[in-house]
Amino acid sequence: MNWSTAIRYRARSVIGKTVSIGKRLMIVGVAALVATVPMLAQSSDLQQRLAAVKQSAAENQQRLHEYQWIETTQLTLKGEAKPLKQSLCQYGPDGAVQKTPMGPPPEPPSGRRVKQRIIEKKTEEMQQYMGQVKSLLGMYVPPDPQKIGQAYQAGKVSLNPAGGGVTLVFTDYAQPGDQMTLFFDTAAKKISSVNVNTYMDDPKDKVTLTVQMASLPDGTNYAQQTVLDATAKKLQATTTNSNYQKRDAY
């Protein structure tokens, strides 16, 4: 092999290797693009769905401030049903729900003074616990548009198609380790149900919430019934909201 032939052979070899490397890089690039396109589409879809959920929640929250309603709570402690409690509810100037008890006050405990003190102490402890539970419930229902946005920015939201809508799953929504699942009716543009797995101060004190939403004649969405299970306390609280009326009607 002479000198010129050797040069041509080496040139063809280099060109062949270059083409081969180029092909491999092109294949890798195409594969990466194919893998990226669904991810971008899913991210875009998630953004659109979240924007719809946030808008729906914000508008709905504003409408709810125009109403008064009756809240009825049924407690079951260790399998024993407690007397129903009713309150007239409305939003105050600070945005928090104000509750006015309805009906006669609870009867004082009967029996000897020592027994009365024990009952009073247990009742006070339970009322305090229920107050904490209500505060916990308020962290999730109604869903907060700001927290929804924060969860998305933190990458704590997943989207799953479901019949008639989508399911949005939020992790670390209000507390580390919690999970909130929303079903969003895409046709009605409303949240139709909420399920929460969370806890009180101690993660061992688990609490689950199941919320069924309903709509008023003007389209305002509200939590029709909430079932709360506090397994550590063997407590179940079923709260039903009804008799919604515009506040200026009173």
Side-chain angles (χ1 to χ4, degrees), residues 90-119:
Q90 65 179 18
Y91 283 92
D94 60 351
V97 176
Q98 298 176 341
K99 300 183 181 183
T100 304
M102 300 175 64
E107 296 182 1
S110 59
R112 295 182 178 180
R113 185 57 184 166
V114 175
K115 182 180 178 181
Q116 291 178 4
R117 288 178 179 175
I118 293 174
I119 295 175

PDB file of all heavy atoms in Angstrom, residues 90-119:
ATOM      1  N   GLN A  90     -71.516  31.255  58.975  1.00  0.00           N
ATOM      2  CA  GLN A  90     -71.297  32.256  57.945  1.00  0.00           C
ATOM      3  C   GLN A  90     -69.834  32.696  58.010  1.00  0.00           C
ATOM      4  O   GLN A  90     -69.157  32.508  59.017  1.00  0.00           O
ATOM      5  CB  GLN A  90     -72.209  33.456  58.126  1.00  0.00           C
ATOM      6  CG  GLN A  90     -71.933  34.245  59.399  1.00  0.00           C
ATOM      7  CD  GLN A  90     -72.830  35.456  59.543  1.00  0.00           C
ATOM      8  OE1 GLN A  90     -73.863  35.550  58.890  1.00  0.00           O
ATOM      9  NE2 GLN A  90     -72.442  36.394  60.384  1.00  0.00           N
ATOM     10  N   TYR A  91     -69.355  33.278  56.927  1.00  0.00           N
ATOM     11  CA  TYR A  91     -67.983  33.781  56.898  1.00  0.00           C
ATOM     12  C   TYR A  91     -67.932  35.166  57.529  1.00  0.00           C
ATOM     13  O   TYR A  91     -68.779  36.011  57.262  1.00  0.00           O
ATOM     14  CB  TYR A  91     -67.455  33.846  55.464  1.00  0.00           C
ATOM     15  CG  TYR A  91     -67.050  32.499  54.918  1.00  0.00           C
ATOM     16  CD1 TYR A  91     -67.956  31.717  54.207  1.00  0.00           C
ATOM     17  CD2 TYR A  91     -65.767  32.003  55.118  1.00  0.00           C
ATOM     18  CE1 TYR A  91     -67.588  30.478  53.712  1.00  0.00           C
ATOM     19  CE2 TYR A  91     -65.388  30.760  54.623  1.00  0.00           C
ATOM     20  CZ  TYR A  91     -66.306  30.005  53.924  1.00  0.00           C
ATOM     21  OH  TYR A  91     -65.950  28.770  53.440  1.00  0.00           O
ATOM     22  N   GLY A  92     -66.915  35.360  58.373  1.00  0.00           N
ATOM     23  CA  GLY A  92     -66.714  36.650  59.001  1.00  0.00           C
ATOM     24  C   GLY A  92     -65.839  37.547  58.160  1.00  0.00           C
ATOM     25  O   GLY A  92     -65.315  37.143  57.116  1.00  0.00           O
ATOM     26  N   PRO A  93     -65.614  38.784  58.592  1.00  0.00           N
ATOM     27  CA  PRO A  93     -64.774  39.728  57.840  1.00  0.00           C
ATOM     28  C   PRO A  93     -63.348  39.232  57.634  1.00  0.00           C
ATOM     29  O   PRO A  93     -62.695  39.615  56.664  1.00  0.00           O
ATOM     30  CB  PRO A  93     -64.797  40.986  58.726  1.00  0.00           C
ATOM     31  CG  PRO A  93     -66.038  40.856  59.552  1.00  0.00           C
ATOM     32  CD  PRO A  93     -66.209  39.400  59.798  1.00  0.00           C
ATOM     33  N   ASP A  94     -62.863  38.399  58.561  1.00  0.00           N
ATOM     34  CA  ASP A  94     -61.496  37.890  58.442  1.00  0.00           C
ATOM     35  C   ASP A  94     -61.395  36.666  57.537  1.00  0.00           C
ATOM     36  O   ASP A  94     -60.309  36.101  57.357  1.00  0.00           O
ATOM     37  CB  ASP A  94     -60.943  37.547  59.829  1.00  0.00           C
ATOM     38  CG  ASP A  94     -61.767  36.474  60.537  1.00  0.00           C
ATOM     39  OD1 ASP A  94     -62.861  36.120  60.031  1.00  0.00           O
ATOM     40  OD2 ASP A  94     -61.318  35.992  61.597  1.00  0.00           O
ATOM     41  N   GLY A  95     -62.524  36.240  56.962  1.00  0.00           N
ATOM     42  CA  GLY A  95     -62.505  35.087  56.071  1.00  0.00           C
ATOM     43  C   GLY A  95     -62.688  33.759  56.767  1.00  0.00           C
ATOM     44  O   GLY A  95     -62.771  32.725  56.104  1.00  0.00           O
ATOM     45  N   ALA A  96     -62.753  33.767  58.104  1.00  0.00           N
ATOM     46  CA  ALA A  96     -62.960  32.529  58.860  1.00  0.00           C
ATOM     47  C   ALA A  96     -64.460  32.291  59.059  1.00  0.00           C
ATOM     48  O   ALA A  96     -65.250  33.239  59.107  1.00  0.00           O
ATOM     49  CB  ALA A  96     -62.269  32.610  60.211  1.00  0.00           C
ATOM     50  N   VAL A  97     -64.835  31.021  59.173  1.00  0.00           N
ATOM     51  CA  VAL A  97     -66.235  30.672  59.381  1.00  0.00           C
ATOM     52  C   VAL A  97     -66.619  30.938  60.836  1.00  0.00           C
ATOM     53  O   VAL A  97     -65.954  30.473  61.764  1.00  0.00           O
ATOM     54  CB  VAL A  97     -66.498  29.191  59.032  1.00  0.00           C
ATOM     55  CG1 VAL A  97     -67.946  28.822  59.347  1.00  0.00           C
ATOM     56  CG2 VAL A  97     -66.189  28.923  57.571  1.00  0.00           C
ATOM     57  N   GLN A  98     -67.676  31.690  61.034  1.00  0.00           N
ATOM     58  CA  GLN A  98     -68.206  31.967  62.361  1.00  0.00           C
ATOM     59  C   GLN A  98     -69.412  31.062  62.606  1.00  0.00           C
ATOM     60  O   GLN A  98     -70.281  30.934  61.752  1.00  0.00           O
ATOM     61  CB  GLN A  98     -68.617  33.441  62.472  1.00  0.00           C
ATOM     62  CG  GLN A  98     -67.462  34.412  62.294  1.00  0.00           C
ATOM     63  CD  GLN A  98     -67.919  35.865  62.324  1.00  0.00           C
ATOM     64  OE1 GLN A  98     -69.104  36.158  62.125  1.00  0.00           O
ATOM     65  NE2 GLN A  98     -66.987  36.777  62.552  1.00  0.00           N
ATOM     66  N   LYS A  99     -69.455  30.451  63.800  1.00  0.00           N
ATOM     67  CA  LYS A  99     -70.516  29.493  64.105  1.00  0.00           C
ATOM     68  C   LYS A  99     -71.273  29.924  65.359  1.00  0.00           C
ATOM     69  O   LYS A  99     -70.665  30.213  66.384  1.00  0.00           O
ATOM     70  CB  LYS A  99     -69.923  28.094  64.304  1.00  0.00           C
ATOM     71  CG  LYS A  99     -69.195  27.564  63.080  1.00  0.00           C
ATOM     72  CD  LYS A  99     -68.673  26.155  63.280  1.00  0.00           C
ATOM     73  CE  LYS A  99     -67.937  25.679  62.052  1.00  0.00           C
ATOM     74  NZ  LYS A  99     -67.467  24.276  62.200  1.00  0.00           N
ATOM     75  N   THR A 100     -72.597  29.932  65.233  1.00  0.00           N
ATOM     76  CA  THR A 100     -73.466  30.255  66.358  1.00  0.00           C
ATOM     77  C   THR A 100     -74.263  29.008  66.721  1.00  0.00           C
ATOM     78  O   THR A 100     -75.042  28.513  65.889  1.00  0.00           O
ATOM     79  CB  THR A 100     -74.445  31.391  66.007  1.00  0.00           C
ATOM     80  OG1 THR A 100     -73.693  32.533  65.565  1.00  0.00           O
ATOM     81  CG2 THR A 100     -75.294  31.759  67.200  1.00  0.00           C
ATOM     82  N   PRO A 101     -74.065  28.465  67.935  1.00  0.00           N
ATOM     83  CA  PRO A 101     -74.772  27.236  68.318  1.00  0.00           C
ATOM     84  C   PRO A 101     -76.288  27.421  68.239  1.00  0.00           C
ATOM     85  O   PRO A 101     -76.825  28.482  68.572  1.00  0.00           O
ATOM     86  CB  PRO A 101     -74.317  26.990  69.757  1.00  0.00           C
ATOM     87  CG  PRO A 101     -73.012  27.711  69.867  1.00  0.00           C
ATOM     88  CD  PRO A 101     -73.145  28.913  68.989  1.00  0.00           C
ATOM     89  N   MET A 102     -76.977  26.368  67.809  1.00  0.00           N
ATOM     90  CA  MET A 102     -78.429  26.376  67.715  1.00  0.00           C
ATOM     91  C   MET A 102     -79.001  25.327  68.670  1.00  0.00           C
ATOM     92  O   MET A 102     -78.328  24.355  69.016  1.00  0.00           O
ATOM     93  CB  MET A 102     -78.880  26.058  66.281  1.00  0.00           C
ATOM     94  CG  MET A 102     -78.387  27.044  65.251  1.00  0.00           C
ATOM     95  SD  MET A 102     -78.814  26.547  63.561  1.00  0.00           S
ATOM     96  CE  MET A 102     -80.609  26.614  63.625  1.00  0.00           C
ATOM     97  N   GLY A 103     -80.249  25.532  69.077  1.00  0.00           N
ATOM     98  CA  GLY A 103     -80.895  24.563  69.942  1.00  0.00           C
ATOM     99  C   GLY A 103     -80.575  24.806  71.403  1.00  0.00           C
ATOM    100  O   GLY A 103     -79.771  25.683  71.752  1.00  0.00           O
ATOM    101  N   PRO A 104     -81.178  24.007  72.285  1.00  0.00           N
ATOM    102  CA  PRO A 104     -80.961  24.188  73.725  1.00  0.00           C
ATOM    103  C   PRO A 104     -79.547  23.793  74.118  1.00  0.00           C
ATOM    104  O   PRO A 104     -78.917  22.946  73.465  1.00  0.00           O
ATOM    105  CB  PRO A 104     -81.994  23.241  74.355  1.00  0.00           C
ATOM    106  CG  PRO A 104     -82.224  22.195  73.308  1.00  0.00           C
ATOM    107  CD  PRO A 104     -82.113  22.908  71.990  1.00  0.00           C
ATOM    108  N   PRO A 105     -79.011  24.384  75.190  1.00  0.00           N
ATOM    109  CA  PRO A 105     -77.669  24.005  75.655  1.00  0.00           C
ATOM    110  C   PRO A 105     -77.688  22.572  76.180  1.00  0.00           C
ATOM    111  O   PRO A 105     -78.731  22.058  76.594  1.00  0.00           O
ATOM    112  CB  PRO A 105     -77.389  25.005  76.786  1.00  0.00           C
ATOM    113  CG  PRO A 105     -78.730  25.429  77.253  1.00  0.00           C
ATOM    114  CD  PRO A 105     -79.621  25.414  76.048  1.00  0.00           C
ATOM    115  N   PRO A 106     -76.539  21.893  76.162  1.00  0.00           N
ATOM    116  CA  PRO A 106     -76.490  20.514  76.651  1.00  0.00           C
ATOM    117  C   PRO A 106     -76.829  20.425  78.136  1.00  0.00           C
ATOM    118  O   PRO A 106     -76.519  21.345  78.908  1.00  0.00           O
ATOM    119  CB  PRO A 106     -75.031  20.093  76.380  1.00  0.00           C
ATOM    120  CG  PRO A 106     -74.274  21.383  76.300  1.00  0.00           C
ATOM    121  CD  PRO A 106     -75.215  22.372  75.720  1.00  0.00           C
ATOM    122  N   GLU A 107     -77.494  19.347  78.499  1.00  0.00           N
ATOM    123  CA  GLU A 107     -77.860  19.160  79.902  1.00  0.00           C
ATOM    124  C   GLU A 107     -76.621  18.889  80.746  1.00  0.00           C
ATOM    125  O   GLU A 107     -75.707  18.194  80.302  1.00  0.00           O
ATOM    126  CB  GLU A 107     -78.842  17.990  80.035  1.00  0.00           C
ATOM    127  CG  GLU A 107     -80.176  18.226  79.341  1.00  0.00           C
ATOM    128  CD  GLU A 107     -81.128  17.059  79.536  1.00  0.00           C
ATOM    129  OE1 GLU A 107     -80.739  16.090  80.235  1.00  0.00           O
ATOM    130  OE2 GLU A 107     -82.250  17.117  79.001  1.00  0.00           O
ATOM    131  N   PRO A 108     -76.583  19.434  81.966  1.00  0.00           N
ATOM    132  CA  PRO A 108     -75.424  19.169  82.833  1.00  0.00           C
ATOM    133  C   PRO A 108     -75.384  17.696  83.231  1.00  0.00           C
ATOM    134  O   PRO A 108     -76.423  17.041  83.312  1.00  0.00           O
ATOM    135  CB  PRO A 108     -75.692  20.076  84.045  1.00  0.00           C
ATOM    136  CG  PRO A 108     -77.165  20.284  84.040  1.00  0.00           C
ATOM    137  CD  PRO A 108     -77.580  20.293  82.604  1.00  0.00           C
ATOM    138  N   PRO A 109     -74.191  17.156  83.463  1.00  0.00           N
ATOM    139  CA  PRO A 109     -74.083  15.749  83.845  1.00  0.00           C
ATOM    140  C   PRO A 109     -74.758  15.484  85.185  1.00  0.00           C
ATOM    141  O   PRO A 109     -74.721  16.313  86.094  1.00  0.00           O
ATOM    142  CB  PRO A 109     -72.570  15.518  83.915  1.00  0.00           C
ATOM    143  CG  PRO A 109     -71.988  16.872  84.138  1.00  0.00           C
ATOM    144  CD  PRO A 109     -72.882  17.826  83.420  1.00  0.00           C
ATOM    145  N   SER A 110     -75.392  14.323  85.286  1.00  0.00           N
ATOM    146  CA  SER A 110     -76.067  13.950  86.532  1.00  0.00           C
ATOM    147  C   SER A 110     -75.155  13.050  87.362  1.00  0.00           C
ATOM    148  O   SER A 110     -74.102  12.606  86.900  1.00  0.00           O
ATOM    149  CB  SER A 110     -77.373  13.216  86.216  1.00  0.00           C
ATOM    150  OG  SER A 110     -77.107  12.052  85.444  1.00  0.00           O
ATOM    151  N   GLY A 111     -75.569  12.775  88.602  1.00  0.00           N
ATOM    152  CA  GLY A 111     -74.783  11.901  89.473  1.00  0.00           C
ATOM    153  C   GLY A 111     -74.026  12.687  90.517  1.00  0.00           C
ATOM    154  O   GLY A 111     -74.200  13.905  90.686  1.00  0.00           O
ATOM    155  N   ARG A 112     -73.167  11.994  91.210  1.00  0.00           N
ATOM    156  CA  ARG A 112     -72.385  12.627  92.268  1.00  0.00           C
ATOM    157  C   ARG A 112     -71.373  13.608  91.693  1.00  0.00           C
ATOM    158  O   ARG A 112     -71.034  13.564  90.514  1.00  0.00           O
ATOM    159  CB  ARG A 112     -71.669  11.561  93.095  1.00  0.00           C
ATOM    160  CG  ARG A 112     -72.626  10.642  93.860  1.00  0.00           C
ATOM    161  CD  ARG A 112     -71.854   9.648  94.703  1.00  0.00           C
ATOM    162  NE  ARG A 112     -72.768   8.794  95.476  1.00  0.00           N
ATOM    163  CZ  ARG A 112     -72.361   7.836  96.302  1.00  0.00           C
ATOM    164  NH1 ARG A 112     -71.052   7.605  96.448  1.00  0.00           N
ATOM    165  NH2 ARG A 112     -73.251   7.117  96.961  1.00  0.00           N
ATOM    166  N   ARG A 113     -70.889  14.475  92.612  1.00  0.00           N
ATOM    167  CA  ARG A 113     -69.985  15.533  92.177  1.00  0.00           C
ATOM    168  C   ARG A 113     -68.717  14.982  91.535  1.00  0.00           C
ATOM    169  O   ARG A 113     -68.242  15.521  90.530  1.00  0.00           O
ATOM    170  CB  ARG A 113     -69.618  16.409  93.382  1.00  0.00           C
ATOM    171  CG  ARG A 113     -68.776  17.636  93.030  1.00  0.00           C
ATOM    172  CD  ARG A 113     -69.487  18.503  92.011  1.00  0.00           C
ATOM    173  NE  ARG A 113     -68.676  19.627  91.582  1.00  0.00           N
ATOM    174  CZ  ARG A 113     -68.945  20.370  90.531  1.00  0.00           C
ATOM    175  NH1 ARG A 113     -69.992  20.096  89.772  1.00  0.00           N
ATOM    176  NH2 ARG A 113     -68.166  21.386  90.223  1.00  0.00           N
ATOM    177  N   VAL A 114     -68.185  13.898  92.080  1.00  0.00           N
ATOM    178  CA  VAL A 114     -66.950  13.320  91.515  1.00  0.00           C
ATOM    179  C   VAL A 114     -67.208  12.830  90.100  1.00  0.00           C
ATOM    180  O   VAL A 114     -66.415  13.068  89.179  1.00  0.00           O
ATOM    181  CB  VAL A 114     -66.452  12.153  92.396  1.00  0.00           C
ATOM    182  CG1 VAL A 114     -65.252  11.473  91.733  1.00  0.00           C
ATOM    183  CG2 VAL A 114     -66.074  12.656  93.782  1.00  0.00           C
ATOM    184  N   LYS A 115     -68.344  12.167  89.902  1.00  0.00           N
ATOM    185  CA  LYS A 115     -68.698  11.666  88.576  1.00  0.00           C
ATOM    186  C   LYS A 115     -68.917  12.822  87.612  1.00  0.00           C
ATOM    187  O   LYS A 115     -68.513  12.757  86.440  1.00  0.00           O
ATOM    188  CB  LYS A 115     -69.954  10.798  88.664  1.00  0.00           C
ATOM    189  CG  LYS A 115     -70.370  10.194  87.323  1.00  0.00           C
ATOM    190  CD  LYS A 115     -71.617   9.344  87.478  1.00  0.00           C
ATOM    191  CE  LYS A 115     -72.042   8.783  86.124  1.00  0.00           C
ATOM    192  NZ  LYS A 115     -73.274   7.957  86.251  1.00  0.00           N
ATOM    193  N   GLN A 116     -69.553  13.878  88.097  1.00  0.00           N
ATOM    194  CA  GLN A 116     -69.799  15.048  87.262  1.00  0.00           C
ATOM    195  C   GLN A 116     -68.490  15.667  86.779  1.00  0.00           C
ATOM    196  O   GLN A 116     -68.364  16.057  85.614  1.00  0.00           O
ATOM    197  CB  GLN A 116     -70.607  16.095  88.042  1.00  0.00           C
ATOM    198  CG  GLN A 116     -72.045  15.688  88.323  1.00  0.00           C
ATOM    199  CD  GLN A 116     -72.793  16.732  89.128  1.00  0.00           C
ATOM    200  OE1 GLN A 116     -72.257  17.809  89.425  1.00  0.00           O
ATOM    201  NE2 GLN A 116     -74.026  16.438  89.496  1.00  0.00           N
ATOM    202  N   ARG A 117     -67.512  15.748  87.693  1.00  0.00           N
ATOM    203  CA  ARG A 117     -66.210  16.325  87.324  1.00  0.00           C
ATOM    204  C   ARG A 117     -65.511  15.473  86.265  1.00  0.00           C
ATOM    205  O   ARG A 117     -64.895  16.004  85.336  1.00  0.00           O
ATOM    206  CB  ARG A 117     -65.330  16.449  88.563  1.00  0.00           C
ATOM    207  CG  ARG A 117     -65.766  17.557  89.525  1.00  0.00           C
ATOM    208  CD  ARG A 117     -64.878  17.604  90.753  1.00  0.00           C
ATOM    209  NE  ARG A 117     -65.283  18.681  91.666  1.00  0.00           N
ATOM    210  CZ  ARG A 117     -64.724  18.874  92.858  1.00  0.00           C
ATOM    211  NH1 ARG A 117     -63.740  18.075  93.282  1.00  0.00           N
ATOM    212  NH2 ARG A 117     -65.141  19.873  93.618  1.00  0.00           N
ATOM    213  N   ILE A 118     -65.611  14.153  86.411  1.00  0.00           N
ATOM    214  CA  ILE A 118     -64.986  13.259  85.434  1.00  0.00           C
ATOM    215  C   ILE A 118     -65.629  13.454  84.062  1.00  0.00           C
ATOM    216  O   ILE A 118     -64.945  13.571  83.032  1.00  0.00           O
ATOM    217  CB  ILE A 118     -65.117  11.786  85.885  1.00  0.00           C
ATOM    218  CG1 ILE A 118     -64.285  11.552  87.145  1.00  0.00           C
ATOM    219  CG2 ILE A 118     -64.665  10.851  84.766  1.00  0.00           C
ATOM    220  CD1 ILE A 118     -64.471  10.175  87.754  1.00  0.00           C
ATOM    221  N   ILE A 119     -66.980  13.518  84.058  1.00  0.00           N
ATOM    222  CA  ILE A 119     -67.696  13.707  82.795  1.00  0.00           C
ATOM    223  C   ILE A 119     -67.367  15.066  82.185  1.00  0.00           C
ATOM    224  O   ILE A 119     -67.146  15.192  80.972  1.00  0.00           O
ATOM    225  CB  ILE A 119     -69.219  13.569  83.015  1.00  0.00           C
ATOM    226  CG1 ILE A 119     -69.555  12.132  83.437  1.00  0.00           C
ATOM    227  CG2 ILE A 119     -69.984  13.951  81.752  1.00  0.00           C
ATOM    228  CD1 ILE A 119     -71.005  11.928  83.797  1.00  0.00           C
TER     229      ILE A 119
END
